[in-house]
Amino acid sequence: MERTTNFNAGPAALPLEVLQKAQKEFIDFNESGMSVMELSHRSKEYEAVHQKAKSLLIELMGIPEDYDILFLQGGASLQFSMLPMNFLTPEKTAHFVMTGAWSEKALAETKLFGNTSITATSETDNYSYIPEVDLTDVKDGAYLHITSNNTIFGTQWQEFPNSPIPLVADMSSDILSRKIDVSKFDVIYGGAQKNLGPSGVTVVIMKKSWLQNENANVPKILKYSTHVKADSLYNTPPTFAIYMLSLVLEWLKENGGVEAVEQRNEQKAQVLYSCIDESNGFYKGHARKDSRSRMNVTFTLRDDELTKTFVQKAKDAKMIGLGGHRSVGGCRASIYNAVSLEDCEKLAAFMKKFQQENE
Amino acid sequence: MERTTNFNAGPAALPLEVLQKAQKEFIDFNESGMSVMELSHRSKEYEAVHQKAKSLLIELMGIPEDYDILFLQGGASLQFSMLPMNFLTPEKTAHFVMTGAWSEKALAETKLFGNTSITATSETDNYSYIPEVDLTDVKDGAYLHITSNNTIFGTQWQEFPNSPIPLVADMSSDILSRKIDVSKFDVIYGGAQKNLGPSGVTVVIMKKSWLQNENANVPKILKYSTHVKADSLYNTPPTFAIYMLSLVLEWLKENGGVEAVEQRNEQKAQVLYSCIDESNGFYKGHARKDSRSRMNVTFTLRDDELTKTFVQKAKDAKMIGLGGHRSVGGCRASIYNAVSLEDCEKLAAFMKKFQQENE
Ligand SMILES: Cc1ncc(COP(=O)(O)O)c(C=O)c1O
Ligand SMILES: Cc1ncc(COP(=O)(O)O)c(C=O)c1O
Ligand SMILES: [Mg+2]
Ligand SMILES: [Mg+2]
Ligand SMILES: [Mg+2]
Ligand SMILES: [Mg+2]
């Protein structure tokens, strides 16, 4: 088998070693005579998987003791609703920094539950940068919502704001890709399907003290406290997805943890951005340089025709997932943790050759 | 490897052939050079998996054309809320037939959204039977909710009521285990983790015309119409769980479909119930005979001590998952589609031997 080089935006590439381990024990997990997915979620064997995923996440991210960690279903998209449903109150406002399509979706769901306000936005520039934020007016808001990495536009917060109100971050597309100070946030959430594992499980990291603000009259299944009390076992969790998450976290730890992966991610992104910057405009980066994402590298080519050829030729060379999102056009290379430096070098070499052939 | 005989209530046994196929193509799906879980949910390769699961479900269950099929996250437990959130209105009442703990949870979530009424219940007899239903008073209700199979108590509807109002059924623990007339129902839903696949995906089958009753002001992610319009691809679906579902459905088809599995399930249940009935009271069935489940066989032994010994000795003999739920006590053998007649015969032989040794 020749392995495809996978630049998908999510679900995305997983480490080959992780897939191999999961394959090996797929039918007989830990000599149980069963697959992980056949274990009861109330069994000792599964409990160990669940706790391993949790404790590795705590260790790798440096999550302080006063935070809860939840494994939920519904994707980051369900968090867009669960957050205001539980934490927006009539007398308060949810503040948003708008940095892309995912911020927009989060905002739209929040509007159903109460007052919202846009603190800053780069919408008029097609979300090509992370805007400056002035937090003078948000003093008594319910929370400030940001999207740490903008998967579609290829921008990323370089530094997080010191928010006077609880800071909530959708980190779906850059969680565990770099060191962050968790204590700055009241809530961090993200779908697993970029840096953490397969789709089907959503990680939520929530400050314990914040849970006290939870609204009444929320359905039990949609209350955070329900899942906190039950340690994410209130109803049947997506056990296999959590198992895969545990393997990915183990792999990350074995490969030097967040510090090492952050360095690799810097290098990887550098290889591609250099290629863009040195192309004399053949490739145009969408993101403003000071806002560039190390996870999603977005760039456009001369026209649609050439873009199509680029994507097709890359595919012929066994590199997939390079078509950009329609709201930006052009191309996007998603280079999450499981994409290697060699993968990025392969793409950069291809890009240089393609430029020579088509300039 | 010796395979464990798995009587788990869910997540539960999966067909060995399905696990073997998934294992074989785990890292290289369809010569894509990628795992299924690395495919974009917008790719042609994944689209084929998604559509295969849907069309096999339509074929196997005989789902009429005027129904939509959804693959959602959140478990059956999220359906307990989504249903009233979308379909209960202030002027109407949701009616419930109470047959166990899951009916209770469904009812509790519904109360948050409007008026409810209990049409019939067997609660005072610890849910040991399916009560008679008199539907004279439910003429203008929003819907009638039933739980087709009661996982914990081991009872099952033998025949479904002709409801004058839309009939909604939680079929989590017996979907695809027997022939049903889908056209009797407006909604059928169930988590996959018993008869359909691993946990992490919930199947919803909904009459198209009923969708017109959907309430306004429901979060987009929690609206059925959102998922219908997007063919369950509004946000990232649990792609690997849906893939496993497609393999389980394929296996069921290759093994004679629902008609054949229904016969096998009758035989399997018969083997265990005979053993109980011929034990001279050593094993006592919890369910009244006319309400017995073919999926979950519940029985008690003389005392807790003996029950513990039974479960432990069964485990020593490589049969797991036999501890009953605390609300019934005793034992429970869950014998979903993937549990074979031989597995049930093995358990019955063990039960007879255990009786001889402990009478
Ligand atoms: C930043 C961001 N937020 C939210 C989502 C939505 O996640 P999900 O599909 O799991 O609901 C995505 C998906 O790509 C994303 O990139
Ligand atoms: C009949 C029935 N309904 C609902 C549920 C809850 O399903 P989930 O855990 O997927 O939310 C179960 C789980 O065992 C069940 O047996
Ligand atoms: Mg998800
Ligand atoms: Mg975006
Ligand atoms: Mg589920
Ligand atoms: Mg029950």
Side-chain angles (χ1 to χ4, degrees):
Chain A
M1 163 198 116
E2 192 194 338
R3 190 147 160 85
T4 297
T5 308
N6 186 342
F7 296 106
N8 276 337
L14 287 165
L16 181 59
E17 300 91 311
V18 164
L19 292 172
Q20 282 165 336
K21 176 153 198 227
Q23 181 179 41
K24 196 162 162 231
E25 60 194 25
F26 193 74
I27 295 187
D28 188 11
F29 175 69
N30 259 350
E31 297 176 2
S32 65
M34 293 177 277
S35 176
V36 176
M37 54 179 93
E38 298 179 297
L39 300 176
S40 166
H41 58 302
R42 311 278 177 209
S43 67
K44 269 201 310 243
E45 291 89 346
Y46 175 70
E47 181 64 16
V49 171
H50 202 80
Q51 295 312 327
K52 183 172 133 184
K54 256 179 82 172
S55 58
L56 280 169
L57 201 64
I58 291 171
E59 184 184 340
L60 287 163
M61 289 185 71
I63 301 173
E65 272 185 23
D66 55 333
Y67 284 76
D68 287 307
I69 290 137
L70 300 174
F71 301 137
L72 303 181
Q73 292 187 65
S77 300
L78 185 56
Q79 295 307 306
F80 297 166
S81 291
M82 273 178 71
L83 284 163
M85 194 184 289
N86 283 282
F87 297 114
L88 192 52
T89 48
E91 71 281 2
K92 291 207 168 172
T93 296
H95 296 264
F96 281 77
V97 182
M98 305 302 291
T99 54
W102 298 111
S103 311
E104 286 177 4
K105 289 202 172 170
L107 174 64
E109 293 285 50
T110 308
K111 283 184 174 164
L112 264 179
F113 296 95
N115 297 321
T116 59
S117 166
I118 293 179
T119 306
T121 177
S122 55
E123 189 194 356
T124 49
D125 296 296
N126 202 20
Y127 294 121
S128 56
Y129 60 90
I130 305 292
E132 289 291 322
V133 195
D134 176 359
L135 295 175
T136 331
D137 286 347
V138 305
K139 270 191 278 302
D140 61 352
Y143 53 85
L144 173 67
H145 184 281
I146 64 171
T147 313
S148 62
N149 184 76
N150 298 282
T151 326
I152 293 174
F153 297 92
T155 65
Q156 187 175 26
W157 287 74
Q158 314 294 311
E159 236 175 293
F160 293 112
N162 288 312
S163 175
I165 58 169
L167 184 59
V168 172
D170 173 3
M171 292 200 184
S172 291
S173 54
D174 70 350
I175 189 166
L176 268 183
S177 69
R178 55 171 167 169
K179 272 184 83 166
I180 60 156
D181 178 359
V182 173
S183 71
K184 275 193 143 180
F185 302 87
D186 276 61
V187 186
I188 291 170
Y189 67 93
Q193 66 268 16
K194 287 112 170 39
N195 271 328
L196 301 178
S199 62
V201 59
T202 308
V203 171
V204 178
I205 300 162
M206 184 174 282
K207 204 167 195 167
K208 283 182 201 288
S209 59
W210 206 42
L211 209 61
Q212 289 157 12
N213 305 327
E214 210 179 55
N215 290 328
N217 292 325
V218 172
K220 206 160 175 198
I221 187 78
L222 293 167
K223 274 173 113 94
Y224 292 100
S225 56
T226 299
H227 299 290
V228 166
K229 274 181 221 147
D231 196 12
S232 305
L233 289 158
Y234 169 67
N235 71 326
T236 322
T239 53
F240 194 75
I242 294 169
Y243 158 75
M244 289 300 301
L245 165 62
S246 78
L247 296 187
V248 169
L249 295 174
E250 194 171 54
W251 169 86
L252 190 61
K253 186 178 170 182
E254 281 163 9
N255 284 276
V258 174
E259 218 153 315
V261 87
E262 176 168 10
Q263 280 182 27
R264 288 197 297 277
N265 288 334
E266 295 275 5
Q267 277 184 289
K268 284 154 53 185
Q270 196 45 50
V271 166
L272 296 180
Y273 285 122
S274 297
C275 182
I276 290 168
D277 292 340
E278 291 159 13
S279 74
N280 288 318
F282 184 80
Y283 300 112
K284 279 201 185 63
H286 175 73
R288 208 172 70 184
K289 285 189 182 177
D290 65 5
S291 302
R292 280 175 165 175
S293 166
R294 281 158 233 102
M295 294 281 104
N296 310 95
V297 178
T298 47
F299 55 94
T300 53
L301 286 83
R302 202 165 51 225
D303 55 40
D304 285 354
E305 188 65 22
L306 194 64
T307 306
K308 251 175 101 173
T309 312
F310 179 92
V311 171
Q312 183 55 51
K313 289 223 159 153
K315 208 172 167 187
D316 297 343
K318 281 272 193 185
M319 290 181 283
I320 65 107
L322 289 166
H325 191 275
R326 64 184 174 286
S327 42
V328 177
C331 295
R332 168 176 55 176
S334 298
I335 52 172
Y336 302 122
N337 287 353
V339 176
S340 69
L341 181 58
E342 293 70 45
D343 293 336
C344 294
E345 283 164 347
K346 182 180 165 190
L347 176 57
F350 171 84
M351 285 171 73
K352 279 172 195 145
K353 185 150 171 283
F354 186 84
Q355 182 179 351
Q356 281 162 12
E357 289 167 3
N358 292 279
E359 219 159 9
Chain B
M1 163 197 115
E2 192 193 339
R3 190 146 160 84
T4 297
T5 308
N6 186 342
F7 296 105
N8 276 336
L14 288 164
L16 181 59
E17 300 92 310
V18 164
L19 292 172
Q20 283 166 336
K21 177 154 197 223
Q23 181 179 41
K24 198 164 162 227
E25 61 194 24
F26 193 75
I27 295 187
D28 188 11
F29 175 69
N30 259 349
E31 298 177 0
S32 65
M34 292 178 277
S35 176
V36 175
M37 54 178 94
E38 298 179 297
L39 299 176
S40 166
H41 58 302
R42 311 278 177 210
S43 66
K44 268 200 312 242
E45 291 89 345
Y46 174 70
E47 181 65 16
V49 169
H50 201 81
Q51 295 310 328
K52 183 172 129 183
K54 254 179 83 172
S55 59
L56 280 169
L57 201 65
I58 291 170
E59 185 184 339
L60 287 163
M61 290 185 69
I63 301 173
E65 272 184 22
D66 54 335
Y67 284 76
D68 286 309
I69 289 138
L70 299 175
F71 301 138
L72 303 181
Q73 292 187 66
S77 299
L78 184 56
Q79 295 307 306
F80 297 165
S81 289
M82 274 178 71
L83 284 162
M85 195 183 288
N86 283 282
F87 297 115
L88 193 52
T89 48
E91 71 282 359
K92 291 207 168 172
T93 296
H95 296 264
F96 281 76
V97 181
M98 304 302 290
T99 55
W102 298 111
S103 311
E104 285 178 4
K105 290 203 172 169
L107 174 64
E109 292 285 49
T110 308
K111 282 183 174 164
L112 264 180
F113 297 95
N115 298 320
T116 59
S117 166
I118 294 180
T119 307
T121 176
S122 55
E123 189 194 357
T124 49
D125 296 297
N126 201 19
Y127 295 121
S128 57
Y129 59 91
I130 304 292
E132 289 290 321
V133 196
D134 176 359
L135 296 175
T136 331
D137 286 348
V138 306
K139 270 192 279 303
D140 61 353
Y143 54 84
L144 174 67
H145 183 281
I146 65 171
T147 314
S148 62
N149 183 77
N150 299 283
T151 326
I152 293 175
F153 298 92
T155 64
Q156 189 176 25
W157 287 74
Q158 313 295 310
E159 237 176 290
F160 294 112
N162 288 311
S163 174
I165 57 170
L167 185 59
V168 173
D170 173 2
M171 292 199 183
S172 289
S173 54
D174 71 348
I175 190 166
L176 268 183
S177 69
R178 54 172 167 168
K179 272 184 82 166
I180 60 155
D181 178 0
V182 174
S183 73
K184 275 193 141 180
F185 302 86
D186 275 61
V187 185
I188 291 170
Y189 67 93
Q193 67 268 17
K194 287 115 172 32
N195 271 327
L196 300 178
S199 62
V201 58
T202 308
V203 172
V204 178
I205 300 163
M206 185 174 279
K207 204 166 193 165
K208 284 181 200 289
S209 59
W210 206 43
L211 208 61
Q212 290 157 11
N213 304 327
E214 210 179 56
N215 290 329
N217 292 326
V218 172
K220 207 162 175 197
I221 187 76
L222 293 167
K223 275 174 114 95
Y224 292 99
S225 57
T226 300
H227 299 289
V228 166
K229 273 181 219 143
D231 196 11
S232 305
L233 290 157
Y234 169 68
N235 71 325
T236 321
T239 53
F240 194 73
I242 294 169
Y243 159 74
M244 288 302 300
L245 166 62
S246 78
L247 295 189
V248 170
L249 295 174
E250 194 169 56
W251 168 86
L252 189 61
K253 186 178 169 182
E254 281 163 9
N255 284 277
V258 175
E259 219 153 317
V261 87
E262 176 168 10
Q263 280 182 26
R264 288 198 298 276
N265 288 335
E266 294 274 6
Q267 277 184 289
K268 283 155 52 186
Q270 196 47 51
V271 165
L272 296 180
Y273 285 121
S274 296
C275 181
I276 291 168
D277 292 341
E278 291 160 14
S279 74
N280 287 317
F282 184 82
Y283 301 112
K284 278 200 186 62
H286 176 74
R288 207 172 68 185
K289 286 190 180 175
D290 65 4
S291 301
R292 280 176 164 175
S293 166
R294 280 158 234 104
M295 295 281 102
N296 310 94
V297 178
T298 49
F299 55 95
T300 53
L301 285 83
R302 202 166 49 225
D303 55 39
D304 285 356
E305 188 64 23
L306 194 63
T307 306
K308 252 176 101 175
T309 313
F310 179 93
V311 171
Q312 184 55 51
K313 289 225 159 152
K315 209 171 168 188
D316 296 343
K318 281 274 195 184
M319 290 182 282
I320 65 109
L322 289 166
H325 191 275
R326 64 184 174 285
S327 42
V328 177
C331 295
R332 169 176 55 176
S334 297
I335 51 172
Y336 302 121
N337 288 353
V339 175
S340 68
L341 180 59
E342 293 69 46
D343 294 335
C344 294
E345 283 164 346
K346 181 179 166 191
L347 176 57
F350 171 84
M351 286 170 73
K352 279 172 196 147
K353 185 150 171 282
F354 186 83
Q355 183 178 351
Q356 280 162 14
E357 290 166 2
N358 293 280
E359 222 161 6

